[in-house]
Amino acid sequence: MRYRFCSSTVLLLVALISFLLSTPLFAQADPTIETVAWLRYLPLDSKAAMNYEKLPRASVLFGKSPVLDSARQELAIGVEKMLGRTLKSSGGIKGSVIVLGTARDLHDVAPSLRLASSLEADGYWLTTTELGHAECLVITAANDRGVLYGVFALLSKIARGESIIGINEVQNPYAPIRWVNQWDNLDGRIERGYGGPSILFADGKVRADLTRAGEYARLLASIGINGCTINNVNAAPGVLEDDFIAQAKRVADVFRPWGVQMSMSVDLSSPKLIGGLDTFDPVDPRVAEWWRKKVDGIYRQIPDFGGFVVKADSEGRSGPSAYGRTHADAANVIARALKPHGGVVFYRAFVYNHHLDWRDPKNDRAKAAYDNFYPLDGKFDDNAVVQIKNGPIDFQVREPVSPLFGGLRRTNEAIELQITQEYTGQQKHLCFLVPMWKEVLDFDMRVDGGSTPVKDLVSGRVFHRRVGGFVGVANVGLDANWMGSPLALANLYGFGRLAWNPGLSSKTIIDEWTRLTFGSDPLVVRTIANLQLSSWQVYESYTGPLGAGTLTNIVGNHYDPGPASSEGNGWGQWHRADHQGIGMDRTMATGTGYIGQYPTEVQKIYESLVACPDNLLLFFHHVPYTYALHSGKTVIQHVYDSHYEGAERAHDFVAEWKTLEGRVDPERYRDILARFEFQAGEAVKWRDAI
Ligand code: GCV
């Protein structure tokens, strides 16, 4: 083992001092660079622009709607900025034009176009074809939103220098639900938000200026996200007051041109708290009537309202248990009010007892979601969706996938991923989460012994669910760069791209994002992609390897090292470390039995010390520190080496970033450099604390 107290202390001090000195750099000098995020549309150099010489010089739009207007405008802006050409508006298909419109709207004007029958809602088709004796570029779709997505896809290709000659590409989304949740409070603060105050609320009201909210919807649309829940799941009951709904309508109005449906989180006890009833019992007819009237009123003002998100019986929130009712009863009373309007209720499976007795070795918070929801399978209405966090605990740096994904067969489900880096460095550390999400989505649950990856379980490909998909907790804020750190925006981009197509590789996604955000200088693209792609493992290695969790301060800021905070309380994020060993015994044989919630083939892997992967060992097993891993190292040596290597890698990030001096604009160069220097110091702090 290595002993480096002196050097590490010095490094830590240097990093802290440099962070303090450099703090002003964190304020962006040129907010326009960042607020547009990956929609920069940088001018192409003349050689690259030559590839788009044949792009028609005019566009024609068939159909009329706010979304289609956005599509045409966006196309014009992008072409103007990147190619320096003003795209003329044509009155019809005269000569070579870019044709925009839904398949239905193009049917009469372009009968020769054999419209792709495989187009699904929100999907698009980009094709080059001869119409009216001229070669046209057609962007068509099953609905208006798809046309907008087709425009964004075309512009992204141009921005990244991808050829569009003879293009003929159909793209459909993997699932209908591709939503973000914002945990914004009405006072303007954001729970677990690290990008500044709310873009939506201030002082208990919807903000007067919703410009940023509109820009946010544009960003979301550019990556195929079609819904946004605007307020914290720890919902203020006041959001359902009539005067607040009138305010929320303004948010829906700025989202609408980008095809982003607005939805809200609600408190289950609203009928009692603000409705004047003496109960919120979900099976009481007066309660059902209250929800029905409330929802009818919302749809009168917001006809495209998306629905509600509900957090109940969790972390102190009221829930159906107050009346001895089930979560299905609670979800259904709301679902039935939404149903006539086409709305959906997302009922969160994040339900657990945070007063567990830690002295009982059979207690296990990880079992809670499955224990609570599996018995209710088939009891939820068809416009209710159970929203399940990716892992059974709470967005830790590494967790196995929640067994509930495989447990529900007759219930709609959506996966909840956390884009905001609550437990993964809070945007002060680089932690690109797409590789983690890919592992989760690709994980084969082996339900009934067949191939059932999580992405297919949540999208409804398995068990043919009516609706389902992907939800990301984004928590963007008013900061110039939305998420606090320019590099963290890759997580928002990556979430959208994976929700559209979970088959994309992490490499493809980061390559796209980097080119769109920083331009196509090969060294810049390679360096940033490498930094991002290694960052999750680096963060894991100096915080909490082997599946022990982040070992962070779980009762405080969820950021600093604080392994003792997990033990001796009811929160259930236990790692059971003592002087002899570490890890939670979740086996069926001697532990909490959590492993029994997985299908048989998965059980076999996790139950056996031999088959269990090292990176989840301590999640499933309690072992002595001298236990030998598959690598041959003992657990204690691995923990020790991993923290040293991780801190060294974090230190290397600084040097790697420095190779980009002069190749990235000076503001972002300095800002990101200061962040890497700070992270290097924090990694040493973690290393030494653990
Ligand atoms: C919005 C964790 C977070 C909470 C969050 C909760 C949830 O406990 O720390 O801030 O509350 O998850 O997802 O509901």
Side-chain angles (χ1 to χ4, degrees), residues 183 191-192 232-234 311 314-315 348 350 352 365 389 394-395 416 418 422-423 473 558 571 573:
W183 287 352
E191 182 156 348
R192 316 299 174 194
N232 194 349
V233 287
N234 293 323
K311 172 177 178 178
S314 167
E315 299 186 331
R348 295 178 86 231
F350 186 61
Y352 69 101
R365 168 173 164 183
K389 288 193 183 188
D394 189 7
F395 302 134
E416 182 179 308
Q418 199 183 38
E422 175 181 356
Y423 284 100
V473 181
H558 295 189
W571 288 100
Q573 289 187 223

Side-chain angles (χ1 to χ4, degrees), residues 26 95 140 234 248 334 630:
F26 282 64
T140 189
N234 293 323
I334 300 178
H630 292 112

